[in-house]
Amino acid sequence: MKNTTLTLTLLICAFLCKAQQIKLSGTIKDNEGQVVPFASVYIKNTTTGTSANVDGVYAFALDKGTVTIVYKAIGYKLLEKTITLSENTIENAVLTSENYTLQGVTIRGNGEDPANEIIRQAIKSRSRHLTEVDAYTTDVYIKGVQKLVGAPKKFFGRDIQKTLDLDTNRKGILYLSESTSKFSFERPGKIHEEMISSKVAGRNNAFSFNKASDLIINFYENILLENTLSTRGFVSPISDGAFLYYRYKLIGTATENGQTVNKIQIIPKREHDPAFRGTIYISDDSYHLLNAEVYLTKNTGINLLDTLNISQQFLKVENTYMPSNINFQFNGNVFGFKFEGYYVGVYSNYNIHPDFPKNHFNGEILKITKAVNKKDSLFWLNNRPIPLTAEESRDYIRKDSVAVLKTSRHYLDSVERANNKFGIVKLLVTGYTINNRYAKKSYAFDPLYRSVFYNTVEGFALKYGITYTKYLEDRKYYNIRPEARYGFSNKTFTGSLSANYFYDPVKRANVSFSAGSGIFDLNNYGSMSLLGNSINSLFFETNFSKFYKKEFANIGTARELANGLQGQIIAGYSRNTNLVNTTHFKIKDLKGETFTSNNPFNPETEKELFPTYRALTVDATLTYTIGQTYITRPDGKFYQPSKYPVIKLNYKKGISGLLNSDVDYDRVSLEVSEDRISMGMLGYSSFVAGAGKYLNNDVVYYPEQKHFRGNNSLLSKPDLRKFLFLDFYMFSTNREYAEFHYEHNFSGFLTNKVPLLRKLKLEELVGVSYLTQPVKRNYTEFYFGLQRLIFRAAYGFAYDGKRRVDHGFRLTYGF
C-alpha cells in the first residue's frame, strides 16, 4: 500500500511539474522590421534552447519563473532579455545589426590583409579544436522541407500537377518531415543516435529519413561534404592547405560577451575551385570558429543543385564552442523542375562529459523503433522546437487527411485499377505488373524485349518468367518465380521454379529453393547479356557466349551471424550436359567473319568439352565488413557504406559418390576489397585482391572450374573485378590463382582545370588489373579514361608478361 501511495504521489508531482511549464513564443525581427530567420534562442548560461523558423517565429516550453533569454543570429548583436514567465508568454525581439569596424586594426606594410594572420592562427589551432571534446551527447531536432516552385505542365505525357499533388501553378511542398533524437559521439568517430519521434506529412506510418550525422559539418576538418554533393568534397576555409584555395578579407571586428570577434570574408582564388564563398567569424583570443555563413555554387562542382547555403551558429559550452543550429538551404533546376528547400538542425542540452554504458557504440548509428511515429499532435505541439510556418501547417493537415483516405480499400482499389491497366508498352518495354496493395501482393510479368533473343546453340529463343510476391508484416516477404525457355533451333524446352522467403529483415535472413532445368553460360559470372550476344551474332557474325544445359535442385540460406558478418550456404545437385551449335543463321554476312563452335577451346569443330556428369556440391561463404555500421528500423537492418575493407572467405566442395555424383574437389578462396578510399582533393581509389586454390582437384569438369570476369566486346557493364581484354573462357582454372584490380578516380581534379572540359564535369580514371595462374602467368592490363554519371570510355593495354597482346577502347554504361 505504501509503495502504491508513493508511486501515485510521484506521478502527481511529475504531472504538476509538467503543468508548471510555460510556453514562451514570439517573433524575431531586425531594426528595420524584417524577420530574422533561424535565429538561436536559448536560456543564458545553459545549452537549453531552440531556433526560430524561416518566418522568424520561435516557441519553446520553460519552467515557470524568471529567466534570462539570449537571442543570437549571425550578423546581429547578441540580445539578452530577463523575462518573468506567465501563462502563454509572448516576447518579441528586435535584433540590431552588428557593427564590424576596422578600428584598431593594424594594416601591415607589405599590404597583406590582417585576416591572413588570423586565419594562420586558426589553422594552427585547428587540430586542437578538432579534438578538444572527446565525447558528448545532445538532443537534436531536425526539420526538412523540399518544395517545387516551378515545373512543366507535362513530363513524359503525365500531368505534373496531378501526379505530384501541386497547386494550379504547379507549386507545392513535396516533402515535409520532422524528427527528434538523442545523439551520442565519441572520438575518433563513433556515433549513435536514437530517434525519439518522427513525423512525415502524408505518410502516417512512415519513418523520417532525417539523420543527425548527415547534418554534421565540421569546419575543423580539412575536407567537407565528401562523397555527398561532390565526390572530392570541398576545402575548409581553415584547413591546412586553405591558402592554396582562398583569399581572405577582414571585414571588421566587434565585441561580444567581452571577447573580440573577427568577421572574415572568404573568397576562392579560382572560380571553379572546390571552395566556399561567404563569411566566417573567428574569436580573437582562442581562434575558435564562432559562426559561419557560406555557400557553394555550380561552379564549385556540386551535383544536382544550383546553390547550397550553409549557416552554422555555435554556443559556448564550458571552454569550447558547440553547434547550436545548422541550416542547409538549397535550390536547383533539373529538366525544368525548379526546386528549393532547407534542412535545419537544432542542438540542445549538451553533455560534454558523458558516461556511456558498455557497448553503447556497437556499429548501430541510428535506432528507430515502432513507437517513434506514434506521437500525437499534442506531443508535437509541446515538443516541436521550431514552430511550423502557415504553409507547413496547411501541408500537414491536407496530406494527413488525404493519407487516411489513401489507406481505404475503396481508394486502393481505384488506384490499382488505373495502375494495373494493361498496356502494350508496359508488356514490351517495362514489364507488366498487377499490384494489390490492400492484399499486399503483386504479379510481375517480364518485359518481352528481354525475352526474345538469339544464339547459335538455341537459335531464336524465348525466355519468360512471372514473379509472384507476397508482402508480410515488418518488411518480410516471399516470392515464387516460374520461368520457361524454348529454343526454336535445338527444339529444347527448359523450365524452373524458384522461391525465396525473406523471414528476418533485421538479421537479413532468408531461405531459398530452386529446381528445374535451364540453359546457362559456361562462365558462371556470365559473358554477355542475351541481347548483347544476339546483336553480335546476328549483325557481326560473332557468337561470344557459350552455353550448357543444367538440370538442378538447390537449397540455401543466408543470415547475419554478427554485426558485419554474413554467412551463406548453398547445397546443389545437378546434371550437366554439353551443348553444340544448331544454327548458323545471321542477318548480315561479314567477309572474314565466321561463327565459332560452342567449345571455346576448339572453335572450328563441335568437339565435346565435357561428358554429361552429375554434381553434388556445397558452397559456403563468410563475408565480413570491418567497422560495419548500420541503421536499425522496424522494417529491417540497413548497412551503411564502410570506410574499411570487406573480407570474403569461400569454400566449395564437390562431393563424389553420393547420389551418383561424379565430381570430387575442394576449393578455397579469399578476397579483400574496398570501395571509395578517400584521397582528398585527388579523388578516391578502389581495389579488389583475391586468391584461391583447389586443395583437391581429382574430378573437376569445366563448369566447376574457377572462372574470371573477362571481356571480348567493346561495350559492357562496369565491374571493378572485370578484365578489359581477357577471354571469357580460355583461362579458367582448376588449380591455384591470384588476381588484383585497382582503380583511381580523380573526380575532376584534372579536367576541372580545362575550360572546355570543365562544364562537362568529367571524372578522370586510371586502373590496373593483374592475373596469374598456371596457364596465364603475369597477365596485366593498364587503362585510363573518362567517366560521366553512368557512362565511361577507357583505352587500355594488355600484356602477357612483357609482351603486349591487346589494346583498344572499352565503353561501359550503367551502375
Side-chain angles (χ1 to χ4, degrees):
M1 184 66 182
K2 289 182 178 180
N3 290 336
T4 303
T5 304
L6 178 61
T7 301
L8 288 173
T9 302
L10 290 173
L11 289 173
I12 293 171
C13 289
F15 174 78
L16 290 175
C17 289
K18 184 70 174 179
Q20 291 300 308
Q21 285 204 317
I22 303 300
K23 191 168 188 177
L24 173 65
S25 62
T27 302
I28 305 172
K29 296 183 178 181
D30 62 19
N31 48 15
E32 295 182 356
Q34 300 298 313
V35 298
V36 180
F38 303 112
S40 292
V41 184
Y42 57 93
I43 303 172
K44 187 176 181 179
N45 298 325
T46 75
T47 61
T48 300
T50 185
S51 170
N53 66 15
V54 69
D55 294 330
V57 179
Y58 76 95
F60 67 126
L62 297 171
D63 292 334
K64 191 173 183 179
T66 300
V67 294
T68 300
I69 302 296
V70 179
Y71 300 87
K72 180 182 177 184
I74 297 176
Y76 295 90
K77 291 182 179 180
L78 181 146
L79 174 65
E80 293 185 4
K81 280 192 171 188
T82 300
I83 303 169
T84 299
L85 299 172
S86 58
E87 194 67 29
N88 295 325
T89 301
I90 297 176
E91 188 69 32
N92 297 323
V94 177
L95 300 184
T96 303
S97 297
E98 183 64 86
N99 184 22
Y100 287 89
T101 68
L102 292 173
Q103 185 177 3
V105 175
T106 301
I107 305 298
R108 297 177 180 273
N110 60 8
E112 183 183 69
D113 195 286
N116 288 356
E117 181 58 28
I118 298 170
I119 293 296
R120 288 191 189 98
Q121 294 301 320
I123 293 172
K124 186 177 179 181
S125 304
R126 183 191 68 83
S127 296
R128 175 167 51 84
H129 292 158
L130 180 65
T131 58
E132 65 186 344
V133 177
D134 292 325
Y136 66 85
T137 63
T138 183
D139 296 330
V140 185
Y141 165 81
I142 300 173
K143 178 162 69 173
V145 179
Q146 298 175 24
K147 298 193 294 185
L148 205 61
V149 293
K153 290 184 178 180
K154 289 189 175 182
F155 192 73
F156 286 105
R158 304 188 68 176
D159 188 302
I160 295 302
Q161 180 188 346
K162 293 180 180 179
T163 302
L164 298 180
D165 193 18
L166 305 172
D167 63 21
T168 55
N169 295 316
R170 297 183 299 284
K171 297 180 180 180
I173 295 178
L174 299 177
Y175 176 79
L176 168 60
S177 175
E178 298 174 276
S179 66
T180 62
S181 60
K182 190 76 171 181
F183 183 75
S184 304
F185 171 85
E186 185 178 75
R187 296 212 171 274
K190 300 176 183 177
I191 62 174
H192 183 265
E193 180 180 0
E194 184 161 358
M195 190 173 287
I196 307 299
S197 59
S198 165
K199 186 172 178 62
V200 182
R203 300 178 63 192
N204 297 332
N205 296 320
F207 301 101
S208 173
F209 288 100
N210 295 343
K211 194 155 90 260
S213 55
D214 286 343
L215 296 184
I216 293 176
I217 179 168
N218 190 337
F219 286 93
Y220 296 125
E221 300 278 0
N222 283 317
I223 307 295
L224 306 173
L225 301 174
E226 193 173 6
N227 289 325
T228 52
L229 298 173
S230 167
T231 303
R232 287 191 294 160
F234 304 91
V235 180
S236 168
I238 53 174
S239 69
D240 291 338
F243 278 99
L244 296 174
Y245 293 88
Y246 290 99
R247 291 187 293 109
Y248 301 93
K249 181 180 180 180
L250 181 62
I251 303 300
T253 63
T255 302
E256 182 179 298
N257 281 341
Q259 70 171 336
T260 301
V261 179
N262 300 288
K263 181 179 181 180
I264 299 173
Q265 183 181 4
I266 56 173
I267 308 162
K269 285 189 172 180
R270 292 162 292 273
E271 183 181 3
H272 296 276
D273 274 355
F276 297 91
R277 291 168 170 80
T279 309
I280 58 176
Y281 299 77
I282 296 177
S283 67
D284 202 43
D285 51 0
S286 63
Y287 298 101
H288 276 100
L289 183 68
L290 301 181
N291 292 303
E293 202 164 37
V294 298
Y295 66 95
L296 298 166
T297 65
K298 284 195 296 186
N299 290 337
T300 62
I302 55 174
N303 295 320
L304 300 178
L305 304 179
D306 289 341
T307 307
L308 174 67
N309 293 278
I310 302 171
S311 175
Q312 188 172 34
Q313 299 182 46
F314 291 82
L315 183 67
K316 190 168 186 179
V317 182
E318 296 184 12
N319 295 318
T320 187
Y321 293 85
M322 304 294 290
S324 61
N325 66 47
I326 185 165
N327 183 13
F328 293 84
Q329 292 181 282
F330 55 86
N331 63 69
N333 186 343
V334 178
F335 299 122
F337 291 88
K338 299 178 182 179
F339 60 90
E340 64 181 35
Y342 68 86
Y343 278 83
V344 59
V346 179
Y347 305 84
S348 60
N349 301 321
Y350 275 103
N351 177 8
I352 62 173
H353 305 291
D355 184 14
F356 294 121
K358 187 178 180 181
N359 296 324
H360 183 70
F361 299 101
N362 57 4
E364 181 184 61
I365 63 172
L366 175 60
K367 182 178 182 179
I368 303 175
T369 63
K370 287 183 178 181
V372 302
N373 60 1
K374 309 300 182 186
K375 310 296 185 183
D376 58 19
S377 57
L378 183 61
F379 169 87
W380 284 103
L381 184 64
N382 292 326
N383 292 276
R384 177 181 286 120
I386 302 180
L388 297 175
T389 65
E391 181 185 24
E392 292 163 0
S393 295
R394 290 193 300 268
D395 191 66
Y396 266 136
I397 294 171
R398 184 177 63 84
K399 286 183 178 176
D400 288 352
S401 299
V402 172
V404 174
L405 171 65
K406 288 183 176 181
T407 59
S408 68
R409 180 157 193 171
H410 174 75
Y411 175 84
L412 291 176
D413 286 346
S414 66
V415 171
E416 301 302 359
R417 281 194 297 271
N419 291 341
N420 294 341
K421 188 176 181 180
F422 179 80
I424 294 298
V425 174
K426 289 181 180 179
L427 186 63
L428 290 175
V429 181
T430 62
Y432 175 53
T433 301
I434 300 174
N435 276 313
N436 187 333
R437 282 185 285 185
Y438 192 84
K440 297 182 179 180
K441 62 182 180 180
S442 68
Y443 299 87
F445 297 81
D446 290 352
L448 287 178
Y449 90 92
R450 288 192 322 205
S451 300
V452 181
F453 57 93
Y454 173 84
N455 61 62
T456 54
V457 171
E458 299 171 276
F460 285 98
L462 292 173
K463 181 172 76 75
Y464 200 77
I466 303 170
T467 303
Y468 168 77
T469 304
K470 173 65 176 178
Y471 301 95
L472 308 173
E473 295 297 323
D474 298 330
R475 211 165 153 263
K476 300 175 184 177
Y477 69 88
Y478 65 85
N479 56 40
I480 302 171
R481 177 179 171 83
E483 183 177 286
R485 179 167 176 160
Y486 182 75
F488 289 93
S489 178
N490 67 348
K491 296 180 173 55
T492 299
F493 175 85
T494 58
S496 63
L497 182 70
S498 60
N500 179 58
Y501 176 37
F502 192 66
Y503 66 90
D504 189 345
V506 174
K507 292 296 184 181
R508 307 206 311 172
N510 78 294
V511 292
S512 60
F513 171 80
S514 61
S517 60
I519 307 298
F520 293 88
D521 199 302
L522 282 171
N523 185 327
N524 66 311
Y525 294 120
S527 51
M528 302 185 68
S529 68
L530 292 175
L531 177 61
N533 186 66
S534 300
I535 293 172
N536 276 283
S537 298
L538 291 171
F539 294 96
F540 301 100
E541 205 171 348
T542 306
N543 53 333
F544 285 118
S545 300
K546 311 299 180 183
F547 303 95
Y548 74 109
K549 181 181 178 182
K550 177 192 286 190
E551 299 157 281
F552 62 90
N554 299 314
I555 186 169
T557 184
R559 183 181 179 85
E560 184 187 63
L561 305 176
N563 180 44
L565 179 63
Q566 190 81 6
Q568 181 184 45
I569 186 167
I570 300 172
Y573 181 75
S574 64
R575 182 175 183 269
N576 306 278
T577 305
N578 185 79
L579 297 177
V580 297
N581 288 340
T582 61
T583 179
H584 289 81
F585 175 81
K586 61 267 186 185
I587 292 176
K588 188 174 184 180
D589 190 0
L590 297 179
K591 185 177 180 180
E593 295 291 339
T594 182
F595 288 127
T596 58
S597 77
N598 194 51
N599 184 335
F601 296 91
N602 199 1
E604 296 182 357
T605 59
E606 294 289 352
K607 184 177 180 180
E608 187 177 71
L609 179 60
F610 58 86
T612 298
Y613 71 94
R614 292 176 174 84
L616 176 64
T617 60
V618 176
D619 193 334
T621 303
L622 286 175
T623 304
Y624 180 60
T625 303
I626 301 173
Q628 180 67 73
T629 59
Y630 61 93
I631 296 172
T632 302
R633 296 161 55 105
D635 55 349
K637 184 174 184 178
F638 302 88
Y639 280 166
Q640 305 300 292
S642 176
K643 299 179 181 179
Y644 305 100
V646 177
I647 302 172
K648 181 180 290 186
L649 177 64
N650 175 263
Y651 170 69
K652 185 173 183 179
K653 180 169 181 61
I655 303 171
S656 175
L658 189 62
L659 298 178
N660 295 318
S661 175
D662 300 309
V663 297
D664 185 3
Y665 63 86
D666 296 87
R667 186 184 74 207
V668 294
S669 63
L670 178 67
E671 180 186 276
V672 181
S673 63
E674 186 172 356
D675 288 331
R676 304 181 77 92
I677 305 168
S678 174
M679 299 294 178
M681 288 293 102
L682 292 177
Y684 65 90
S685 294
S686 303
F687 78 90
V688 178
K693 180 178 177 61
Y694 280 80
L695 306 177
N696 157 39
N697 62 354
D698 287 352
V699 183
V700 185
Y701 296 106
Y702 184 82
E704 312 297 320
Q705 291 186 6
K706 165 62 183 176
H707 305 289
F708 302 97
R709 294 170 175 85
N711 183 42
N712 294 120
S713 63
L714 174 66
L715 189 65
S716 65
K717 291 289 188 74
D719 186 345
L720 182 60
R721 294 167 173 81
K722 180 180 288 186
F723 293 90
L724 296 184
F725 303 99
L726 189 71
D727 188 89
F728 291 125
Y729 306 103
M730 296 297 292
F731 304 106
S732 301
T733 184
N734 62 357
R735 295 170 63 186
E736 66 277 1
Y737 71 91
E739 63 177 313
F740 176 75
H741 306 266
Y742 174 83
E743 181 176 285
H744 182 77
N745 188 318
F746 286 95
S747 305
F749 179 78
L750 302 174
T751 56
N752 189 55
K753 295 174 174 56
V754 182
L756 294 178
L757 295 178
R758 185 183 293 137
K759 292 184 178 181
L760 299 177
K761 294 186 178 181
L762 297 174
E763 299 176 6
E764 323 86 336
L765 52 93
V766 296
V768 60
S769 295
Y770 174 81
L771 172 66
T772 185
Q773 50 107 324
V775 297
K776 194 70 169 175
R777 296 189 181 278
N778 298 323
Y779 173 79
T780 310
E781 295 179 352
F782 303 94
Y783 63 91
F784 59 92
L786 295 171
Q787 178 175 295
R788 173 64 174 144
L789 299 177
I790 64 173
F791 302 101
R792 169 188 293 195
Y795 193 88
F797 303 86
Y799 292 85
D800 253 342
K802 296 182 179 180
R803 182 173 61 92
R804 192 176 78 181
V805 293
D806 210 340
H807 65 98
F809 281 101
R810 289 293 185 260
L811 307 177
T812 59
Y813 66 97
F815 296 100

